[in-house]
């Protein structure tokens, strides 16, 4: 019985360490508070002209010149991609189209879209 309990405790501690590493904690990485330091964050004070605003799950996302932004306390932060499920009424210029398992997908940069209905495109995770 002691061997079983010891084995479970050992397995539990190994799993917790692996999860901490996957989240960027442990081994001296990050800021020491359990969060990874953002890499190459770009913040601007004002958006370029022509920005479109989209509301999604209580937050505003801005799109202009091929980039998405979120407003924060220091200005507008460039984000790599909006969240999965986010809907827009366009596909960015310069996109590439690829059919995967009979479904057409459009991608530009780090964002993948699927047409949900006419003139409505939803952000999806990478399908292939």
């Amino acid at each position: 019985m002691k061997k079983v309990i010891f084995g479970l405790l050992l397995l539990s501690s190994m799993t917790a360490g692996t999860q901490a590493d996957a989240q960027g904690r442990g081994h001296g990485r990050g800021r020491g508070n359990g969060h990874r330091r953002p890499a190459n964050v770009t913040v601007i004070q004002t958006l370029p002209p022509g920005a479109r605003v989209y509301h999604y799950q209580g937050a505003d996302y801005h799109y202009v010149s091929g980039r998405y932004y979120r407003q924060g306390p220091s200005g507008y932060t460039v984000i790599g991609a909006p969240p999965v499920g986010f809907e827009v009424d366009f596909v960015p210029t310069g996109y590439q189209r690829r059919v995967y398992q009979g479904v057409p997908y459009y991608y530009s940069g780090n964002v993948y879209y699927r047409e949900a209905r006419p003139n409505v495109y939803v952000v999806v995770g990478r399908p292939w």
Side-chain angles (χ1 to χ4, degrees):
M1 184 66 161
K2 288 181 183 179
K3 289 181 181 180
V4 171
I5 292 173
F6 177 75
L8 289 173
L9 287 174
L10 181 62
L11 180 62
S12 175
S13 67
M14 288 171 49
T15 303
T18 301
Q19 289 172 344
D21 287 346
Q23 295 173 2
R25 295 185 296 235
H27 302 293
R29 292 185 299 211
R31 291 186 229 151
N33 63 359
H35 295 94
R36 290 178 17 173
R37 186 171 298 138
N40 301 325
V41 174
T42 302
V43 178
I44 60 173
Q45 298 305 305
T46 57
L47 292 170
R52 301 165 121 174
V53 64
Y54 293 90
H55 309 285
Y56 183 72
Q57 295 186 344
D60 288 343
Y61 293 83
H62 305 269
Y63 177 85
V64 63
S65 301
R67 292 188 173 166
Y68 286 95
Y69 300 85
R70 287 262 331 255
Q71 187 172 12
S74 319
Y76 295 90
T77 302
V78 176
I79 60 172
V84 170
F86 183 81
E87 292 183 346
V88 293
D89 57 354
F90 69 99
V91 177
T93 57
Y95 71 86
Q96 294 183 29
R97 183 178 184 271
R98 181 171 174 185
V99 177
Y100 180 70
Q101 296 183 345
V103 178
Y105 291 91
Y106 307 87
Y107 60 101
S108 177
N110 199 26
V111 186
Y112 298 83
Y113 305 87
R114 181 180 50 78
E115 189 171 23
R117 52 192 181 278
N119 299 315
V120 177
Y121 301 88
V122 63
V123 173
V124 298
R126 183 180 172 149
W128 50 84

